[in-house]
């Protein structure tokens, strides 16, 4: 007799329609908000968040530039969610060693330790796909607690 073999797995990596390894789609609204921040120079930051069903990263909102950049950053840090991840696209304005004003557009991956494990894992695995959609990022900052996102530590990263 003949022996029949049935294979129930594929050796090819399955890719979703969005091309993301994690299967999470990045909404076009995130890219549009990023381009507005980068080109318009009137936005301080963009907040992007994973939907509750973990299928998409969407733009949660934007914040305009107001007043002192360091003070605005301190307000931003104070408002970070203590137990949920976010991606922020932040336009840092600072003075360099020659006292000239500089700007750097940074991706901040805020994934605090108190984030649920599945959510933490999905933010981490989706970050590269998210980043690829944003042409022109200059700095990347990964922060899991408030010490990693102080003004001084971030500006030090921007000055490199």
């Amino acid at each position: 007799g003949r022996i029949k073999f049935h294979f129930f797995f594929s050796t090819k990596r399955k890719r979703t329609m969005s091309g993301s390894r994690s299967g999470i789609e990045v909404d076009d609204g995130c890219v549009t908000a990023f381009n507005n921040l980068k080109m318009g120079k009137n936005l301080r930051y963009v907040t992007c968040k994973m939907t509750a069903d973990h299928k998409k990263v969407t733009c949660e909102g934007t914040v305009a530039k107001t007043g002192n950049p360091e003070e605005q950053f301190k307000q931003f840090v104070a408002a970070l969610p203590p137990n949920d991840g976010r991606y922020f696209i932040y336009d840092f304005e600072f003075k360099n060693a020659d006292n000239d004003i500089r700007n750097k557009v940074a991706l901040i991956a805020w994934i605090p330790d108190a984030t649920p494990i599945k959510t933490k894992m999905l933010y981490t695995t989706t970050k590269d796909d998210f980043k690829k959609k944003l042409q022109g990022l200059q700095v990347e900052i990964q922060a899991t607690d408030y010490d990693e996102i102080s003004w001084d530590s971030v500006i030090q990263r921007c000055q490199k």
Side-chain angles (χ1 to χ4, degrees):
R2 287 184 124 166
I3 299 173
K4 289 184 180 179
F5 291 99
H6 295 281
F7 293 97
F8 296 102
F9 62 91
S10 170
T11 56
K12 291 184 180 177
R13 175 185 274 175
K14 194 173 185 179
R15 305 278 284 183
T16 62
M17 286 174 51
S18 67
S20 166
R21 283 189 308 274
S22 64
I24 297 169
E25 184 184 337
V26 177
D27 188 78
D28 290 340
C30 297
V31 178
T32 301
F34 166 72
N35 288 330
N36 289 342
L37 176 138
K38 191 171 68 167
M39 300 301 176
K41 295 295 178 193
N42 59 344
L43 292 178
R44 177 66 66 205
Y45 64 92
V46 175
T47 304
C48 298
K49 174 185 180 176
M50 204 169 292
T51 55
D53 62 5
H54 297 118
K55 293 198 188 299
K56 189 183 263 195
V57 176
T58 60
C59 180
E60 189 177 41
T62 60
V63 173
K65 289 182 179 178
T66 58
N68 178 311
E70 186 174 352
E71 286 305 312
Q72 191 170 13
F73 183 73
K74 287 178 181 173
Q75 292 167 6
F76 159 78
V77 171
L80 288 172
N83 55 6
D84 196 11
R86 293 287 189 283
Y87 297 125
F88 298 97
I89 304 152
Y90 203 102
D91 185 358
F92 284 98
E93 188 177 308
F94 59 95
K95 289 185 179 178
N96 67 6
D98 297 328
N99 220 23
D100 297 323
I101 293 176
R102 294 281 181 249
N103 286 74
K104 288 268 177 101
V105 177
L107 169 63
I108 300 172
W110 171 250
I111 310 167
D113 290 331
T115 304
I117 299 222
K118 180 181 179 183
T119 305
K120 194 185 295 190
M121 187 180 73
L122 289 170
Y123 269 103
T124 303
T125 58
T126 306
K127 185 181 64 169
D128 286 340
D129 293 320
F130 183 72
K131 203 166 67 172
K132 284 178 192 162
K133 295 250 184 187
L134 310 175
Q135 299 301 310
L137 283 172
Q138 298 164 297
V139 179
E140 182 183 332
I141 296 158
Q142 174 111 16
T144 59
D145 64 40
Y146 295 98
D147 292 336
E148 295 173 333
I149 199 162
S150 70
W151 175 258
D152 292 336
S153 68
V154 169
I155 295 307
Q156 194 173 14
R157 296 282 306 275
C158 289
Q159 289 176 331
K160 287 183 180 177

